[in-house]
Amino acid sequence: AQLITMLATLATTENTVRESVNEDLQVAERTFDQLFEQRFYQLSQSVQVLVDDFGFRSALASNDSPTIVSALENHAARASASMALYVDLNGAVVAGTSQDDWSDQPGWLAIRDEIIATDYLLATVTLQNIQYQIVAVPAMAPAKIGWVMMGFAIDDAVAAEFRELTGLQISVYDPDTLTQNQFISTLDNNHEAQLITFLQSTKMSSDKEVVSEIILADESFLTRIHLLAGSSRPLFVVLQKSLRQEMLPYHAMENRLIMLFMAVLLGAVLAGLGIGGNIVAPIRKLVMQAERIGSGNYAVEIAINSKDEIGQLSTTLNTMQQEIARREFRIVHQTQYDDLTDLPNRYLVRDRIETAISRAQRSNGRFTVVMLDISRFKKINDTLGHHIGDILLKETATRLIRRQRKSDTAARMGGDDFLLVLENTDLQTSIDLVSKEILPLLTSPHQLDEMEISVKFNCGFVEYPSHADNAASLLRRCEIALYEAKLSHPGLAVYEEGRDEGHLRELAIVSDIDKAMEENHLRLYFQPKLNLQTGELHQAEALVRWVHPKYGFLPPDEFIPVLEQTGNITKLTNWVIREAARQCWEWLCHDINITISINLSALDLMDPGLLGQIERAVDDYHILPSNFILEITESAVMHDANAARAVLQELQSAGYRISIDDFGTGYSSLAQLKSLPVSELKIDKSFVLNLTSSSQDAVIVKSTIDLAHSMSLKVVAEGVETQESMTLLQEFGCDIGQGYFISKPIPAGDFAAWYQANRERFITPEKVAA
Ligand code: C2E
Ligand code: CA
Ligand code: CA
């Protein structure tokens, strides 16, 4: 901006100077023209005075030559004219102040002819390289006898005088005789020579003024050229002014301007440096800080100790950085830690297990993972409220942490499941640690408000590397162990080889068995047994169903085997016994007398409380032992025949009938059964289903019936699906039939209605007669 202003100022100044010089030139031009006319006038006056002079007239009349010459000389001197002449009527010079002979000069010849033609004359003429302003007036004595002429030389003196007057350079020239000796000029020789060269190359026309700037010897001159008025021959005047001269005072100003420019520039640079130091550098720091924050590095704080906006900005940025760091920490924490207990969550604990694995690999060591859950936590939540549940969870977490060694990790997996990773600890040590130290601490009563609550825990154990070698399997198998723990009595279980993934669903289901009984998810169905000989319906088999809140309707095959494997079948059996007894009583109340077959497992036989349980149920519901038939599978009996025999004996003595279920699948022989207190055989449905199509099955069934009868055992055929097989069984002398042809298992609540509708259905007239 400064530079532009400066250049503009300089340009304007130069223009102004140029214009003012131009004006000077114009004024000078007019002045010169006036001066020129003035001289003509002056000459005319002088000549007229001379011509009118009486003495001069007399001298002319008398042709007194000496007097004429002296008069001419006197007048010329008085008018400061350069010459004075007297010429006759032919234009020949008679007398004059100059002795020069001009008769052969072209200038002279031209004006002579003019004088003769016009009488009066004002003209410029070049005579012997000198230009003159000439005036000619007729001389009378008293008749016209010739002319008196007077002239001013236009010479260097005139030019110098003009220059004096106007301060301009002036040059006068005749274009026809353009040489240095005829060139009148105030310029010095050098400039003069150059101007002549310029004029020689420029064709001047008489009617045009030329205004231009020309350069003479590296100096610029503003120049006006014009034709002089009143000359018979073209005579040009060149007026010039040197720009350099005129510019001189402005150069001083120009220099001051440049100085000012430099000073301002210096000031701007210094200010820039100052701004750079005070604003740009801190801003650059802030930018770098922002980039650091962007890339997630919150460690560095910037210190800008100024109180201005930059300082405020840096403080804000620091605060923002802290806030972001805090928030990011919180978010990361939330993804890795449990909100309620602040323990590591299931995702973080997986990492911890992976770390433990790599540590154990390096040291060739082992470690244990323990999963714990609170027994019946749902019930606590439901009865005491979630608030209490949360407190219990938090308390448990606190206790776990209190007990924790430095190398251990306690985590919450969700719900009421916790996890311990016990590093450098083998299985046995960790079982001891958990059962002797951790569990006593966890199960000690909690004092909540007014009440005291104590909870039980189940714990599943897995050991690295013996049970699994990666985090995912360790966690899954630990969960399996926990399910088994829920089903085992002290609530502890170690993962057992082979009980793997496929098992998980069943385990998950079965671990809910307590809840199922409490919350009434179990149902008894009853499948009628038909007396094939009389057509009477006096028996039914109790078959359990589970309506699981999550998995829906579950057939017994899905959970009975798992309950048996995990040793939990007894709970179910006891429930079935009581429920069957209650149902039996209810029917009796409606005058329906049904003997109910109850399925017992091998494990039930080992339960010393079995008989007591049955008797209590029978007593409580005022029914009779004869209302029950106890079914035991062939394989269960054969597993430990001696032990079984004792229990069965006891049951039989108490009045309960025993039935051997699924007979034919256990590879026992009837001979072996002979020693057992058994009153009924149930031929397995696999033989009955194809009875009419397979002659082999028919033979087996027929001979089994015969043999059983020979041992005075009643025979039940299960899986009777068609009329044909039922007819055949009747022909074989089978006592009782059970199967879909007679009825599918019926929900307890529907049984009475079904019974009323079907009690007569199988009784044929012939049988009634019999
Ligand atoms: P199970 O004791 O042999 O029971 C007979 C099974 O055969 C029942 O299956 C019954 O629905 C089915 N069945 C009856 N008639 C027919 C027929 O005509 N054709 C065909 N294909 N099948 C027929 P469910 O109810 O699924 O019971 C399966 C097994 O679960 C039972 O076999 C029994 O071993 C066990 N179970 C059922 N309830 C209990 C119980 O309360 N305690 C124990 N320990 N085991 C039970
Ligand atoms: Ca059965
Ligand atoms: Ca069976």
Side-chain angles (χ1 to χ4, degrees):
Q2 186 70 22
L3 186 70
I4 288 169
T5 311
M6 191 186 79
L7 291 177
T9 310
L10 292 180
T12 312
T13 311
E14 205 178 302
N15 265 345
T16 312
V17 169
R18 225 176 273 270
E19 263 165 35
S20 102
V21 170
N22 237 334
E23 259 167 43
D24 285 357
L25 286 175
Q26 272 172 32
V27 171
E29 198 177 272
R30 276 198 301 275
T31 311
F32 186 79
D33 283 351
Q34 273 170 16
L35 184 77
F36 200 69
E37 275 171 34
Q38 178 74 34
R39 277 167 49 118
F40 271 126
Y41 180 72
Q42 205 180 322
L43 277 177
S44 310
Q45 292 290 313
S46 295
V47 175
Q48 197 63 53
V49 168
L50 181 58
V51 173
D52 290 344
D53 184 87
F54 182 75
F56 186 62
R57 276 183 163 206
S58 323
L60 286 179
S62 59
N63 206 7
D64 179 358
S65 202
T67 310
I68 292 171
V69 170
S70 88
L72 286 172
E73 278 174 350
N74 279 342
H75 266 84
R78 221 178 295 156
S80 316
S82 320
M83 56 124 150
L85 299 176
Y86 166 58
V87 292
D88 62 17
L89 288 173
N90 296 320
V93 176
V94 181
T97 56
S98 169
Q99 304 310 314
D100 299 333
D101 183 9
W102 295 321
S103 51
D104 58 343
Q105 297 270 314
W108 175 256
L109 296 178
I111 57 162
R112 192 192 60 188
D113 293 347
E114 226 173 305
I115 294 171
I116 293 169
T118 60
D119 262 10
Y120 281 89
L121 178 76
L122 298 177
T124 54
V125 67
T126 308
L127 299 171
Q128 272 172 342
N129 296 336
I130 300 170
Q131 284 152 9
Y132 293 98
Q133 269 185 289
I134 286 181
V135 174
V137 176
M140 315 293 265
K144 179 174 162 185
I145 57 164
W147 288 274
V148 175
M149 295 170 82
M150 219 182 259
F152 282 142
I154 304 171
D155 55 10
D156 289 333
V158 177
E161 190 190 330
F162 184 75
R163 176 159 168 65
E164 191 87 351
L165 196 69
T166 60
L168 300 182
Q169 304 283 0
I170 182 164
S171 309
V172 183
Y173 72 99
D174 180 344
D176 289 341
T177 56
L178 192 52
T179 59
Q180 189 136 23
N181 10 349
Q182 289 190 31
F183 202 78
I184 294 162
S185 178
T186 52
L187 290 170
D188 57 42
N189 285 345
N190 187 15
H191 286 125
E192 188 184 316
Q194 295 223 355
L195 179 60
I196 290 168
T197 316
F198 170 80
L199 291 171
Q200 280 168 345
S201 65
T202 317
K203 196 117 184 90
M204 297 301 300
S205 76
S206 51
D207 59 340
K208 215 162 75 188
E209 275 203 338
V210 175
V211 183
S212 72
E213 181 174 343
I214 54 178
I215 311 248
L216 305 175
D218 288 340
E219 200 176 334
S220 190
F221 287 87
L222 275 186
T223 306
R224 290 179 80 94
I225 305 173
H226 82 290
L227 186 70
L228 269 180
S231 49
S232 55
R233 294 178 51 77
L235 196 63
F236 286 94
V237 175
V238 182
L239 293 173
Q240 289 184 304
K241 198 160 197 180
S242 160
L243 269 179
R244 193 185 63 197
Q245 293 292 321
E246 287 307 297
M247 284 300 220
L248 269 179
Y250 292 102
H251 281 318
M253 188 198 77
E254 225 172 79
N255 289 340
R256 276 202 300 277
L257 213 66
I258 290 170
M259 295 272 281
L260 190 71
F261 169 68
M262 299 301 273
V264 170
L265 194 68
L266 187 73
V269 167
L270 290 177
L273 288 176
I275 289 172
N278 292 326
I279 297 176
V280 177
I283 284 185
R284 191 166 304 144
K285 270 195 198 171
L286 292 177
V287 167
M288 274 157 62
Q289 171 79 343
E291 279 168 358
R292 265 200 303 274
I293 295 176
S295 65
N297 174 3
Y298 312 122
V300 187
E301 291 224 337
I302 31 168
I304 295 173
N305 291 324
S306 59
K307 286 208 160 59
D308 56 8
E309 284 78 3
I310 301 278
Q312 284 173 13
L313 194 61
S314 89
T315 316
T316 314
L317 211 63
N318 282 336
T319 321
M320 187 184 89
Q321 161 169 310
Q322 289 161 6
E323 280 304 314
I324 292 177
R326 221 196 320 277
R327 213 170 310 159
E328 194 175 290
F329 174 80
R330 207 163 54 229
I331 292 169
V332 170
H333 191 81
Q334 272 170 357
T335 63
Q336 296 185 330
Y337 289 85
D338 172 52
D339 251 1
L340 182 70
T341 61
D342 221 26
L343 290 178
N345 65 14
R346 56 167 65 242
Y347 306 106
L348 184 57
V349 85
R350 185 181 271 258
D351 286 355
R352 298 277 172 91
I353 292 176
E354 268 153 15
T355 323
I357 289 175
S358 38
R359 260 200 290 269
Q361 273 169 349
R362 278 199 295 276
S363 63
N364 235 343
R366 41 190 66 225
F367 67 91
T368 317
V369 180
V370 189
M371 201 179 280
L372 306 100
D373 85 338
I374 302 175
S375 293
R376 300 164 184 238
F377 182 71
K378 186 175 185 306
K379 186 150 190 203
I380 295 172
N381 253 345
D382 289 350
T383 52
L384 301 177
H386 287 263
H387 167 63
I388 300 290
D390 284 356
I391 293 179
L392 274 181
L393 291 173
K394 278 197 240 180
E395 260 301 301
T396 305
T398 317
R399 291 178 180 190
L400 279 174
I401 294 167
R402 204 189 305 157
R403 228 329 263 103
Q404 211 176 4
R405 292 176 308 180
K406 217 173 159 187
S407 56
D408 296 346
T409 302
R412 181 173 174 218
M413 303 296 279
D416 59 337
D417 292 349
F418 293 88
L419 197 87
L420 290 174
V421 182
L422 305 171
E423 289 200 50
N424 298 317
T425 315
D426 67 13
L427 187 61
Q428 196 49 56
T429 318
S430 61
I431 292 174
D432 288 349
L433 183 77
V434 169
S435 54
K436 294 193 183 122
E437 290 183 35
I438 297 179
L439 281 180
L441 183 69
L442 291 183
T443 52
S444 68
H446 299 267
Q447 193 66 45
L448 300 178
D449 298 335
E450 295 290 88
M451 52 185 174
E452 207 181 61
I453 302 176
S454 57
V455 287
K456 288 217 174 80
F457 283 83
N458 304 300
C459 315
F461 293 80
V462 279
E463 187 194 49
Y464 174 89
S466 47
H467 291 144
D469 60 359
N470 62 71
S473 306
L474 280 169
L475 281 172
R476 202 171 50 240
R477 292 179 172 175
C478 198
E479 202 177 347
I480 293 170
L482 177 65
Y483 283 130
E484 305 217 5
K486 287 184 192 178
L487 298 166
S488 71
H489 170 56
L492 297 181
V494 175
Y495 172 73
E496 260 178 60
E497 209 79 43
R499 301 212 170 156
D500 216 338
E501 287 65 59
H503 226 53
L504 204 56
R505 179 180 141 100
E506 279 95 349
L507 277 172
I509 294 169
V510 164
S511 61
D512 291 338
I513 185 69
D514 289 326
K515 206 166 77 178
M517 290 192 296
E518 267 161 29
E519 294 174 9
N520 241 341
H521 296 151
L522 297 179
R523 302 269 181 282
L524 272 190
Y525 276 48
F526 291 91
Q527 187 174 36
K529 288 162 80 179
L530 174 70
N531 186 322
L532 293 174
Q533 305 307 319
T534 65
E536 288 167 312
L537 292 158
H538 287 315
Q539 295 186 4
E541 180 177 5
L543 295 162
V544 74
R545 305 284 182 262
W546 186 345
V547 188
H548 196 283
K550 187 159 144 207
Y551 301 106
F553 187 90
L554 300 173
D557 290 333
E558 270 211 39
F559 56 92
I560 299 273
V562 192
L563 285 174
E564 287 174 340
Q565 281 163 26
T566 57
N568 284 269
I569 191 68
T570 319
K571 291 178 193 169
L572 179 86
T573 308
N574 290 342
W575 179 85
V576 172
I577 290 168
R578 280 198 80 75
E579 185 57 22
R582 197 196 59 75
Q583 190 59 63
C584 186
W585 165 77
E586 196 184 301
W587 285 330
L588 281 173
C589 295
H590 291 89
D591 234 0
I592 302 168
N593 190 350
I594 301 286
T595 298
I596 297 176
S597 295
I598 291 172
N599 292 287
L600 296 182
S601 291
L603 256 164
D604 292 323
L605 295 186
M606 315 240 183
D607 174 19
L610 176 67
L611 180 58
Q613 185 73 28
I614 298 172
E615 287 185 320
R616 220 172 7 261
V618 168
D619 281 357
D620 286 354
Y621 289 103
H622 312 291
I623 58 170
L624 298 168
S626 58
N627 283 119
F628 277 168
I629 297 177
L630 305 176
E631 291 188 5
I632 301 152
T633 60
E634 184 191 7
S635 48
V637 176
M638 291 309 155
H639 181 66
D640 186 353
N642 289 332
R645 186 181 301 118
V647 180
L648 296 182
Q649 212 91 56
E650 210 183 350
L651 289 169
Q652 196 207 32
S653 316
Y656 296 95
R657 278 174 281 172
I658 310 291
S659 171
I660 300 296
D661 204 354
D662 298 348
F663 185 77
T665 57
Y667 308 105
S668 59
S669 66
L670 276 170
Q672 282 170 301
L673 286 179
K674 231 165 112 178
S675 60
L676 292 171
V678 173
S679 43
E680 186 185 273
L681 269 191
K682 274 186 104 164
I683 302 174
D684 190 69
K685 56 179 171 280
S686 59
F687 302 101
V688 182
L689 289 173
N690 302 319
L691 194 60
T692 46
S693 56
S694 158
S695 56
Q696 204 187 348
D697 285 353
V699 170
I700 293 171
V701 170
K702 172 85 175 80
S703 53
T704 305
I705 293 169
D706 290 347
L707 275 165
H709 281 166
S710 72
M711 292 161 62
S712 34
L713 297 174
K714 293 275 184 210
V715 179
V716 182
E718 61 179 12
V720 180
E721 290 190 345
T722 59
Q723 173 73 62
E724 292 76 41
S725 58
M726 189 170 94
T727 312
L728 197 59
L729 285 166
Q730 279 168 332
E731 282 170 16
F732 290 165
C734 186
D735 303 282
I736 293 171
Q738 179 183 350
Y740 293 169
F741 179 67
I742 299 146
S743 170
K744 289 197 167 180
I746 302 162
D750 301 341
F751 188 85
W754 181 90
Y755 177 76
Q756 299 297 359
N758 290 277
R759 61 190 299 177
E760 314 266 286
R761 182 176 137 207
F762 300 100
I763 298 176
T764 55
E766 148 208 353
K767 280 172 189 158
V768 172

